[in-house]
Amino acid sequence: AQKVTQAQTEISVVEKEDVTLDCVYETRDTTYYLFWYKQPPSGELVFLIRRNSFDEQNEISGRYSWNFQKSTSSFNFTITASQVVDSAVYFCALTGSARQLTFGSGTQLTVLP
Amino acid sequence: EADIYQTPRYLVIGTGKKITLECSQTMGHDKMYWYQQDPGMELHLIHYSYGVNSTEKGDLSSESTVSRIRTEHFPLTLESARPSHTSQYLCASSELRGDTYNEQFFGPGTRLTVL
């Protein structure tokens, strides 16, 4: 069985602050993939990143960065200099041999002007 | 930019009615999925398909049914809607490419309310 835990239910920051969203996962697979999705108030899920279990390099894309650490089974997401448009629910997800996505419960991020 | 469409976006319907939620994608993806999501909560997989004439039930038990007669189309049907079916339904698709598990692209969702 696999599991994704996003312990932060809600986070509120003021614009331009940095914010980190935590994601901890459990799996028995040696090959697996991790994802982050953004769900704005409009409802659709927007794909942000995919990372496979053999690639522990951190990734940066503009103001977004991801820290993958197999030793702690974590795949954290940091937004630098947050903006109001970053307000959304962010989901971490995992898949492995079962080939189905398991989602965390999501973190509601509110960026205040 | 993903090209996956869902209609209707919003639906309010009475108990006992039969409804079909439409999902279409123009990316030629073999894999398609239906998720159910209560507001602000995690997504639960209710159905998936790996290609034409292939359908499977997901982790969450659902009274809905699906069909996959064409690659691009994956409708979900509720024969008799009940208030417990009130939720958001999200359709997704992804490529079937070797052993790599590719990202899923999501439609805008259908918010269903059953009175």
Side-chain angles (χ1 to χ4, degrees):
Chain A
Q2 51 189 37
K3 184 179 178 182
V4 176
T5 300
Q6 294 181 255
Q8 303 152 307
T9 306
E10 295 181 24
I11 299 176
S12 193
V13 299
V14 177
E15 205 168 21
K16 297 184 183 175
E17 286 184 0
D18 298 347
V19 58
T20 295
L21 309 182
D22 297 332
C23 173
V24 174
Y25 62 92
E26 295 175 29
T27 181
R28 293 179 184 160
D29 294 323
T30 53
T31 301
Y32 53 89
Y33 293 82
L34 294 159
F35 302 80
W36 275 95
Y37 284 87
K38 174 183 180 180
Q39 187 175 39
S42 53
E44 79 277 16
L45 265 78
V46 178
F47 165 74
L48 296 177
I49 190 172
R50 179 187 68 183
R51 173 68 68 207
N52 75 53
S53 52
F54 298 109
D55 183 1
E56 287 193 71
Q57 279 193 340
N58 292 332
E59 180 153 342
I60 298 174
S61 176
R63 296 184 297 106
Y64 295 171
S65 62
W66 290 270
N67 184 347
F68 176 31
Q69 292 195 339
K70 286 179 77 170
S71 60
T72 55
S73 297
S74 64
F75 187 44
N76 296 338
F77 173 31
T78 297
I79 302 175
T80 303
S82 59
Q83 300 175 1
V84 173
V85 294
D86 295 328
S87 297
V89 181
Y90 290 85
F91 289 95
C92 181
L94 163 73
T95 189
S97 58
R99 299 294 184 97
Q100 307 305 335
L101 268 180
T102 297
F103 284 86
S105 54
T107 297
Q108 170 72 61
L109 173 65
T110 302
V111 181
L112 303 168
Chain B
E1 192 77 19
D3 295 314
I4 181 162
Y5 309 98
Q6 290 186 243
T7 57
R9 291 292 313 276
Y10 303 91
L11 180 61
V12 181
I13 201 164
T15 297
K17 300 290 186 184
K18 177 180 178 178
I19 58 170
T20 296
L21 308 185
E22 302 288 350
C23 176
S24 295
Q25 50 96 6
T26 59
M27 297 170 283
H29 287 168
D30 288 307
K31 293 176 164 180
M32 294 189 75
Y33 312 82
W34 276 103
Y35 291 88
Q36 186 173 340
Q37 183 191 27
D38 291 329
M41 305 295 285
E42 62 198 276
L43 282 74
H44 294 285
L45 181 68
I46 51 175
H47 297 283
Y48 61 99
S49 167
Y50 283 176
V52 172
N53 295 325
S54 151
T55 61
E56 301 287 345
K57 288 188 179 294
D59 299 327
L60 183 67
S61 175
S62 174
E63 293 164 345
S64 58
T65 59
V66 292
S67 63
R68 190 90 183 275
I69 299 173
R70 301 197 315 265
T71 298
E72 63 272 19
H73 195 213
F74 191 41
L76 180 145
T77 298
L78 275 167
E79 290 292 334
S80 180
R82 293 209 296 269
S84 60
H85 297 140
T86 295
S87 190
Q88 170 159 262
Y89 293 84
L90 289 159
C91 180
S93 73
S94 67
E95 288 187 85
L96 181 64
R97 196 170 65 205
D99 286 336
T100 302
Y101 193 92
N102 299 300
E103 59 272 20
Q104 294 181 15
F105 294 98
F106 284 80
T110 295
R111 291 182 195 255
L112 172 66
T113 302
V114 184
L115 303 175

